Amino acid sequence: MTVPISYYLVLAAVLFSIGVASFLIKRNIITIFMSIELMLNAVNLTFVAFAHMWHQITGQIFVFFVMVVAAAEAAVGLAIIIAIFRTRRTLNVDQVNLLKN
Amino acid sequence: MSPNVLALLPEIILTITGVLVMVAEPVLPAGQSRKPLGVLAILGTLAAGFASWYQLGFGTIHAYFNTIQVDSFSVFFHLLIAAIVLVTLLSSLDYFEGHASHAGEYFALTLFGATGMMLMTCSVELLMVFVGLEISSISTYILAGFRKGQASATESSIKYFLLGSFATAFFLYGIALAFGSTGSTRIDVISQNLASTATPTLALLSLALIIIGIGFKVSAAPFHVWTPDVYQGAPAPVVGLMSTAPKAAAFAVLLRILFSGFPSYEPRWASLIWIIAALSMTVGNLGALLQRDVKRMLAYSSIAHAGYLLVAYTAFPADGIASACFYTAAYAAMNVGAFTVITQIGGYRENVRTIEDYSGLALKRPVLAAVLGFFLLSLIGIPFTGGFFGKFYVFSAALHAGHVWLAVIGLLNSGIACFYYLRLLASLYSRRPAIEDNLFDGITVTLPAALALTITAAATLLLGIAPNQVLSLAQRSAAATAPGSANSTTNASR
């Protein structure tokens, strides 16, 4: 018995929505960053599912690129997070609020 | 030269120069000036600009398995991005002197960012668009936080990073659904397969997600929340760069995707863009009215200008592209110019911040004040400036397409915009209250910065009195992008 494609797509959509929700709700920068990774992985799952459906390699190649770029982004993101922790001694987004009127 | 090398010649030149600068940076002793690296970066940018111009003679070049398409559209944006980067490098050549010992990284990152932006504009495969988008985004995330000891700069950087990655995820999800609906990630194939797709709802959803993703990148309302904070905290030359060049590239991508990828869905996306444009103009201009910080005010102004630019997108097909291209060029000239002046006035420490701080500038530095005033007038859209013709073409294109109300909203907004630009202008020419009178004493306009100011001011003026040269280039690029649109390109040239 094969699992229908819609199952994968629904799972990916749910994961993406969880990522969006936790991006908006969570207050710790690391957790917010993790929710972005969750969104990207939901996209990857969608790509792989569609690649299987269309019998095309394009989707799977795309996933590799997304993973590589996500790794590069993580490197830069963690560096920025370290810089902000050094200057502010906190990772709570509500306390990182110098830039207001 | 093989077509593959020829097609990516500007990007290759920028990458090689960037790598050279990056490798040379740690080799130089710690205390030594990084200006030679800046000069190298400027030469590389010039070479890339000439390479783009050289490409124009070859017509349309397809390369790398049809993922790259170099045509007059991409050359237009290549030249624009090269010019923006050139001006930014010139204005920031002396910016880091005596402040940051790692300024070479700044020049290298600027070049890498430019590579990504150029790659975005010449890609017709969404995978390459994504790669270019990320190269440009990751470079600008770092640039935004370049003064890393300052809490406001790192805060600006983290906000830009988080919201930018968030937007990228939306953009990617959009691409994934487009792939699911049409079985391809190539823009032209998507366009062909859309007609026979079994899942039009999925295609529509993918289009909406792509517009959301790009909307974040160009800071269009309601996806603009990051813009004021990021622009306020980032170094002034970087703001000048990232408020124009990555936006120009993102607008180019949006043009390609909407006009060549999803032309058959035009009524649907046009109404979505209509709403985003109206919202951006209104939110941007009303928000700018409330600001005291000049960089923050210009951030809201850039949201409003993104709105004006999106008005052009509702004029499908060719009027829209030509006027959008022209507006991007005009906006780039005046906005980079304004930030160049702000860079010179504020210096590395940026202790001249609010509108009140700028009062009396005309008495101390009449030329700088006059140049800033000229850019502000152009941002308003006064005749004989690039901003005027930009707005004129955009709104007349919208009227031609029958979007009367959108043009009315745009014109009303231009009226509102006068208030805050003129408030800053009035402050420049008012008498200064006697306190802390040494605020402007440290300003030194070096030769490269003066050159940058001359280039931007001349560009703004030329676009205002002789727009035909750029307009004809814009129309050529319009004909290259939108299939079957060549017959209506003459409309915008009246």
Side-chain angles (χ1 to χ4, degrees), chain B residues 317-333:
Chain B
D319 273 9
I321 302 181
S323 53
C325 291
F326 187 87
Y327 199 94
T328 318
Y331 168 70

Side-chain angles (χ1 to χ4, degrees), chain B residues 235-392:
Chain B
V238 175
V239 182
L241 176 75
M242 72 188 187
S243 64
T244 49
K247 278 194 187 184
F251 274 121
V253 165
L254 191 61
L255 273 177
R256 280 243 210 244
I257 292 179
L258 293 184
F259 284 58
S260 346
F262 290 85
S264 49
Y265 282 60
E266 192 265 334
R268 271 110 179 232
W269 58 251
S271 49
L272 189 58
I273 296 280
W274 197 105
I275 295 168
I276 295 176
L279 213 59
S280 302
M281 290 189 287
T282 316
V283 168
N285 283 320
L286 292 182
L289 282 178
L290 305 172
Q291 305 306 320
R292 284 179 61 243
D293 188 289
V294 171
K295 272 161 84 188
R296 215 175 159 83
M297 185 194 91
L298 285 175
Y300 275 101
S301 130
S302 86
I303 298 169
H305 282 278
Y308 297 135
L309 232 163
L310 284 173
V311 170
Y313 284 65
T314 60
F316 183 80
D319 273 9
I321 302 181
S323 53
C325 291
F326 187 87
Y327 199 94
T328 318
Y331 168 70
M334 59 202 184
N335 213 47
V336 174
F339 275 104
T340 307
V341 182
I342 290 172
T343 308
Q344 305 313 315
I345 294 171
Y348 187 78
R349 306 215 176 279
E350 296 194 1
N351 44 9
V352 185
R353 289 201 187 94
T354 62
I355 294 178
E356 290 81 52
D357 286 345
Y358 278 78
S359 61
L361 181 71
L363 294 174
K364 284 263 171 90
R365 310 294 308 228
V367 180
L368 269 184
V371 176
L372 181 57
F374 176 64
F375 291 131
L376 290 175
L377 290 177
S378 179
L379 285 164
I380 294 175
I382 300 287
F384 304 112
T385 61
F388 170 75
F389 275 114
K391 279 208 179 74
F392 175 76

